[in-house]
Amino acid sequence: MLLQVQDVTMRFGGLTAVDRVTFAAAAGQITALIGPNGAGKTTLFNCITGFYRPSGGAILLHPPGAETGAAPVALHRLAGHRIARAGVARTFQNIRLFPGMTALENLLVAQHNALMATTGWGIGAVLGLSRYPAAERAAVEKAKQWLQATQLLDRADDPAGALPYGAQRRLEIARAMCTSPDGPALLCLDEPAAGLNPRESEELAKLLLQIRAGGTSILLIEHDMGVVMRISDRVVVLDHGQRIADGPPAEVRADPRVIAAYLGEEEVE
Ligand SMILES: Nc1ncnc2c1ncn2[C@@H]1O[C@H](COP(=O)(O)OP(=O)(O)OP(=O)(O)O)[C@@H](O)[C@H]1O
């Protein structure tokens, strides 16, 4: 088990946006979080990635490779940057690239922390012991590898803001993948297929399967049911802040509670 969400509640004043939600995301799997508009998906994401501190419950990360019996990391107690360092990366519903920087530069900035750590936060450089050149070469190599994986290598030197919409979405995923030295343990994606055309959605699905094959587990909020049903190993359904279903895609799709929750929702095909 990679991530355990236990009885998590998030209240905003009198509104309970997430109501005692429990689920687990297994290592090596794509877990989708779906539900009608306002169900609490993004709020739960914000709790997992440290943008909100939950009003109640626990969020535990079992880092892959940790010794057996090692205590899990209590994400609900950590600040966002510590969560990122623990191996959880994310993208946002709205694109948040540096539009004036090139695609390549966006991926180098994402590696800034790792690069600085290699240099002993500058002290090594002062003492003339810097391993910076080698680390910098490795960072450029990694950025290029992800530009290639996201089919953006030929756009490496274009400003991110000048890329077509679908390419910007792929670049965001590439950036998230560059944030941890060995790749994140868990990649959290908030509606990555939003605004993509069918061909781009298909390419996105392939990219996510490739990321999973590379050893990064994925937690995915997505309204495009075609993508969700095709690539997810497990689907968790929220409605009005509560978990109403949790299981393999085919099972969840046929669940009468899920169908009822989606009645009147336009986005489900
Ligand atoms: N910062 C906030 N302050 C107050 N209420 C909030 C806040 N963020 C979310 N909410 C409310 O919490 C509920 C859940 O919202 P949330 O954005 O998590 O839903 P969602 O499932 O992600 O929806 P969508 O699919 O439309 O993105 C909504 O009623 C929303 O208005």
Side-chain angles (χ1 to χ4, degrees):
M1 199 48 58
L2 180 67
L3 180 80
Q4 276 177 292
V5 172
Q6 290 175 341
D7 262 333
V8 167
T9 294
M10 184 72 208
R11 289 187 210 93
F12 298 109
L15 178 98
T16 305
V18 175
D19 192 2
R20 284 171 299 154
V21 169
T22 294
F23 73 90
Q29 291 202 346
I30 297 177
T31 306
L33 199 53
I34 70 167
N37 289 114
K41 305 178 295 292
T42 298
T43 302
L44 187 51
F45 242 49
N46 285 339
C47 292
I48 293 168
T49 53
F51 283 74
Y52 296 151
R53 185 157 292 219
S55 320
I59 303 170
L60 304 173
L61 182 77
H62 301 262
E67 286 168 33
T68 32
V73 182
L75 299 186
H76 58 282
R77 296 210 193 97
L78 292 186
H81 68 283
R82 300 279 303 279
I83 292 178
R85 223 178 289 163
V88 178
R90 76 169 290 179
T91 65
F92 296 87
Q93 234 172 69
N94 306 318
I95 288 174
R96 296 196 187 181
L97 295 165
F98 295 109
M101 290 177 143
T102 68
L104 179 69
E105 285 165 349
N106 268 276
L107 301 192
L108 293 177
V109 169
Q111 299 179 71
H112 174 76
N113 273 346
L115 262 176
M116 290 307 286
T118 315
T119 65
W121 302 94
I123 294 164
V126 172
L127 298 177
L129 301 171
S130 181
R131 283 175 288 159
Y132 191 84
E136 190 186 26
R137 273 197 303 279
V140 171
E141 208 40 57
K142 183 182 208 147
K144 286 194 171 159
Q145 175 204 327
W146 279 103
L147 287 172
Q148 171 107 50
T150 50
Q151 296 167 32
L152 291 169
L153 203 48
D154 56 337
R155 310 298 297 263
D157 299 325
D158 292 359
L163 297 175
Y165 181 79
Q168 292 193 27
R169 297 235 77 136
R170 292 203 302 281
L171 183 58
E172 281 208 300
I173 294 175
R175 183 178 63 170
M177 291 306 295
C178 285
T179 50
S180 304
D182 305 318
L186 181 67
L187 174 65
C188 299
L189 302 169
D190 196 349
E191 294 197 33
L196 299 188
N197 66 36
R199 187 181 51 77
E200 289 171 328
S201 295
E202 179 61 39
E203 279 167 10
L204 172 79
K206 276 194 211 142
L207 173 64
L208 300 190
L209 290 174
Q210 191 186 328
I211 288 172
R212 182 186 66 179
T216 292
S217 310
I218 296 175
L219 187 61
L220 170 74
I221 295 181
E222 188 48 66
H223 279 294
D224 183 329
M225 288 303 137
V227 171
V228 168
M229 294 299 161
R230 199 157 67 250
I231 68 170
S232 304
D233 298 292
R234 190 169 194 90
V235 180
V236 178
V237 190
L238 296 187
D239 187 28
H240 296 295
Q242 296 184 333
R243 189 191 74 175
I244 59 163
D246 180 357
E251 198 177 286
V252 162
R253 185 168 37 190
D255 188 319
R257 281 167 308 179
V258 177
I259 295 166
Y262 271 109
L263 279 180
E265 274 277 309
E266 293 165 351
E267 275 146 306
V268 175
E269 288 125 34

